[in-house]
Amino acid sequence: MNTENAVSTAIVRQYSQKLIDHLCVDVAIVGAGPSALVAARYLRKAGVRVAIFERQLAPGGGVWGGGMLFNEVLVQDDAVEILEEFGIGHIPVEDSPGYQTVDSVEMAGGLIFGAVRSGAKIFNSVSVEDIIFKEDRVGGLVINWTTVMRLGLFVDPLTIVADTVLDATGHPSVIMNLAVNKAKIQLKTPTGGIMGERPMWVDRGEESAVESAGEYYPGLFACGMSSNNVMGGYRMGPIFGGMLKSGRKVAELILARRRAE
Ligand code: 48H
């Protein structure tokens, strides 16, 4: 085999095998932002098979840009153990006890590395365009190349079968919207629908991001800004302790649900 052919063959074979191995998983996560990457690592550490589908080329979601492109974020002391789980550095804020600054590039890189090293597979440049919905249960994802979707090409998708789907798509709550609008289901929220994100109130937003992480329909969980939006929580700006804790909490809830079934 010549070298050009060896390179292409190895990549196509390895990618195809990776995709085939993850066409049916325990947990399919939509979006590779901070809450998703934390959830993925804790789920993998418990032996759960996890695949993450991220529509952008670069996983990491909204972490990279810090606050208004100043590439630093804040994390509260009570989420430091999650940073340390991923080996991410942090510096105490001298005049605001209880807070740490974290370089947002280190945070994005560390979260991605920690999730992948735990055995979670990330499929980047893949968009989730629909859900599988059977017998009153969310049963997986419908995926396509982001390029196909952005060009508006008429190309049929493929599917990922999953016991559990985790919506970690951030502010737009893409999967929860699909579930409400296409499957016509009532979510476990006070209104049965998506309540909508409120304006900024850092402390309340941080609380609701964690409180809202959970199961909203059989087979369908949400975390991070997605669950915060679903439950009508406040936004909190470039402070990420809530996102990290939300990811850890949703992993614990998914594990508890799997044990109960
Ligand atoms: C595949 C998709 C699809 C799709 C979207 O927004 P994220 O970083 O998610 P979180 O919730 O872990 O973190 C939120 C945080 O970054 C943030 O925005 C904060 C704290 N805001 C506060 C404020 O006041 O504004 O990541 C979501 C990811 C992104 O990478 C998307 O590209 C991806 O989901 N995604 N992937 N298929 N249909 N939709």
Side-chain angles (χ1 to χ4, degrees), residues 126-129 142-153:
V126 174
S127 288
V128 176
E129 61 166 66
V142 179
I143 60 166
N144 217 326
W145 300 116
T146 298
T147 4
V148 164
M149 294 187 65
R150 292 218 171 132
L151 290 172
L153 302 180

Side-chain angles (χ1 to χ4, degrees), residues 14-113:
Q14 190 60 29
Y15 186 89
S16 301
Q17 192 57 55
K18 186 164 63 177
L19 185 57
I20 288 168
D21 288 347
H22 293 82
L23 290 176
C24 188
V25 289
D26 298 322
V27 181
I29 304 181
V30 189
S35 62
L37 295 166
V38 170
R41 183 172 172 92
Y42 284 103
L43 287 166
R44 278 300 305 145
K45 283 183 79 174
V48 171
R49 285 173 52 74
V50 178
I52 307 178
F53 299 90
E54 168 54 55
R55 70 177 167 197
Q56 302 289 349
L57 191 53
V63 173
W64 295 102
M68 214 183 86
L69 291 183
F70 290 63
N71 67 358
E72 295 282 335
V73 295
L74 255 68
V75 169
Q76 300 86 330
D77 283 355
D78 66 357
V80 159
E81 62 183 329
I82 303 177
L83 291 176
E84 289 180 349
E85 166 72 23
F86 285 81
I88 296 168
H90 48 91
I91 299 169
V93 183
E94 271 176 34
D95 46 2
S96 290
Y99 294 95
Q100 310 274 326
T101 52
V102 181
D103 179 303
S104 67
V105 174
E106 180 175 349
M107 175 130 153
L111 291 175
I112 296 165
F113 188 66

Side-chain angles (χ1 to χ4, degrees), residues 30-37 53-56 58-63 126-129 146 168-172 174-175 197 200 206 223-226 235-240 243:
V30 189
S35 62
L37 295 166
F53 299 90
E54 168 54 55
R55 70 177 167 197
Q56 302 289 349
V63 173
V126 174
S127 288
V128 176
E129 61 166 66
T146 298
T169 59
H171 297 267
V174 175
I175 305 306
E197 181 182 287
M200 191 177 295
E206 282 293 278
C223 64
M225 287 314 280
S226 176
R235 65 184 303 193
M236 71 297 286
I239 180 161
F240 277 79
M243 294 302 111

Side-chain angles (χ1 to χ4, degrees), residues 169-173 177 193-201 205 208-209 223-237 243:
T169 59
H171 297 267
S173 307
N177 271 288
I194 293 167
M195 301 182 64
E197 181 182 287
R198 296 197 216 185
M200 191 177 295
W201 184 348
S208 58
C223 64
M225 287 314 280
S226 176
S227 62
N228 197 52
N229 174 44
V230 168
M231 283 301 268
Y234 289 86
R235 65 184 303 193
M236 71 297 286
M243 294 302 111

